[in-house]
């Protein structure tokens, strides 16, 4: 837990901005289903996903999906459904915890009974992440529309040692029609200035702009004062929940 790269650390190392992080905090507080996507391995999909999920409310549980059907079947039969269903990766690659085809489609059945989803996926951009589901896995428009957010990450550098990672797109999915996502960019990264820019405010979540602003300020303060441990994050979450 102590070695986890937190959302405050991701702000500090310029992977994302405090405004981005505040909105993502609001998103998981509303149990929004989201994907973390990138073209290449080691771009930080899982790191960003874990950091964002750590901002969820304490009463929201995490359930880790598996390529063993019995694991997800048990979740269907529990008395109370809910929390986040976490998938290591949607991928055709044969690796434990990676889901594709029938196993991937089974996950979307579970979203209909109260679970939210977080999964990582390889894609060319945020919109392409949805196409990976609809075109290659035959996920219906209705089911794919349950994904409301895609966080797209890019990695720059010649080696892992000098790599820099940036959240270059935060894309809101309004709905999926004929397999294609319809939505808009909330944030984008400008390569020339190395700055993050808001394109358009979210339509589906984080509608209380003052609340989102407060969340952004809290996370920005933690990053700017080197309070970036998971313990610092948890204290900030607890303090915020008391307000």
């Amino acid at each position: 837990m102590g070695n986890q790269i937190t959302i405050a650390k991701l702000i500090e190392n310029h992977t994302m901005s405090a405004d981005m992080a505040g909105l993502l905090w609001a998103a998981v507080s509303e149990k929004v289903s989201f994907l973390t996507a990138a073209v290449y391995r080691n771009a930080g999909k899982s790191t960003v996903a874990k950091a964002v999920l750590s901002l969820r409310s304490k009463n929201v549980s995490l359930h880790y999906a598996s390529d063993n059907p019995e694991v997800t079947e048990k979740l269907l039969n529990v008395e109370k459904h809910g929390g986040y269903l976490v998938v290591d990766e949607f991928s055709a690659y044969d690796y434990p915890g990676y889901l594709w085809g029938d196993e991937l489609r089974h996950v979307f059945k579970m979203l209909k009974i109260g679970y939210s989803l977080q999964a990582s996926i390889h894609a060319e951009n945020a919109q392409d992440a949805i196409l990976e589901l609809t075109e290659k896995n035959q996920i219906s428009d209705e089911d794919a529309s349950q994904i409301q957010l895609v966080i797209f990450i890019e990695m720059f550098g010649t080696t892992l040692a000098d790599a820099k990672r940036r959240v270059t797109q935060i894309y809101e999915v309004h709905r999926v029609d004929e397999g294609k996502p319809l939505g808009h960019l909330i944030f984008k990264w400008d390569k020339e200035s190395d700055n993050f820019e808001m394109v358009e405010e979210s339509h589906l979540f984080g509608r209380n702009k003052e609340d989102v602003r407060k969340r952004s300020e809290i996370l920005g303060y933690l990053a700017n004062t080197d309070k970036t441990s998971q313990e610092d994050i948890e204290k900030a979450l607890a303090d915020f929940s008391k307000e």
Side-chain angles (χ1 to χ4, degrees):
M1 179 72 74
N3 294 326
Q4 179 175 331
I5 298 177
T6 65
I7 203 82
K9 193 67 179 178
L10 294 176
I11 298 169
E12 183 186 62
N13 66 23
H14 205 53
T15 298
M16 69 174 69
S17 69
D19 287 342
M20 287 173 156
L23 182 66
L24 295 174
W25 181 4
V28 294
S29 295
E30 298 178 37
K31 295 192 289 187
V32 168
S33 291
F34 69 98
L35 303 176
T36 47
V39 175
Y40 301 112
R41 301 187 63 79
N42 299 311
K45 301 185 302 300
S46 297
T47 298
V48 169
K50 290 176 182 177
V52 174
L53 285 173
S54 74
L55 301 172
R56 73 193 189 282
S57 301
K58 288 186 68 174
N59 63 344
V60 176
S61 55
L62 298 182
H63 308 280
Y64 292 91
S66 167
D67 49 4
N68 181 348
E70 292 182 2
V71 174
T72 48
E73 199 65 37
K74 285 181 180 179
L75 294 177
L76 286 172
N77 296 321
V78 298
E79 183 176 346
K80 184 178 180 181
H81 302 133
Y84 269 97
L85 186 64
V86 182
V87 179
D88 288 344
E89 191 167 304
F90 285 148
S91 173
Y93 186 69
D94 186 14
Y95 190 81
Y98 286 14
L99 306 183
W100 200 249
D102 288 342
E103 294 167 347
L104 185 154
R105 287 187 287 274
H106 186 64
V107 165
F108 278 84
K109 293 179 182 178
M110 300 178 68
L111 303 190
K112 294 180 178 179
I113 60 171
Y115 292 103
S116 298
L117 172 69
Q118 192 291 308
S120 294
I121 193 167
H122 286 281
E124 295 294 327
N125 52 51
Q127 294 94 324
D128 184 58
I130 300 297
L131 296 177
E132 289 285 314
L133 302 176
T134 58
E135 293 184 353
K136 296 184 179 180
N137 287 278
Q138 296 79 52
I139 298 299
S140 70
D141 289 350
E142 179 184 1
D143 287 349
S145 295
Q146 295 179 87
I147 303 294
Q148 292 185 319
L149 188 63
V150 182
I151 306 168
F152 189 75
I153 310 148
E154 294 188 58
M155 182 173 66
F156 305 90
T158 55
T159 67
L160 287 177
D162 69 359
K164 294 181 179 178
R165 296 168 175 85
R166 298 289 184 267
V167 172
T168 58
Q169 296 178 329
I170 295 183
Y171 184 84
E172 181 176 88
V173 182
H174 301 165
R175 69 182 189 278
V176 177
D177 186 31
E178 295 185 351
K180 297 178 175 58
L182 301 177
H184 73 279
L185 274 178
I186 304 175
F187 285 100
K188 68 177 183 179
W189 173 70
D190 180 72
K191 185 175 182 179
E192 184 174 343
S193 64
D194 194 17
N195 288 326
F196 304 100
E197 302 173 358
M198 173 172 271
V199 179
E200 185 178 342
E201 291 184 337
S202 170
H203 298 181
L204 302 178
F205 56 88
R207 293 180 178 177
N208 184 333
K209 305 309 175 187
E210 180 62 19
D211 175 80
V212 174
R213 183 190 64 79
K214 287 181 180 178
R215 293 172 191 266
S216 298
E217 285 184 352
I218 290 168
L219 297 177
Y221 170 78
L222 294 178
N224 292 332
T225 55
D226 199 30
K227 296 181 179 179
T228 59
S229 71
Q230 186 60 30
E231 291 73 20
D232 293 323
I233 294 291
E234 290 173 0
K235 183 178 186 306
L237 295 179
D239 291 343
F240 183 81
S241 67
K242 296 175 184 176
E243 295 183 6

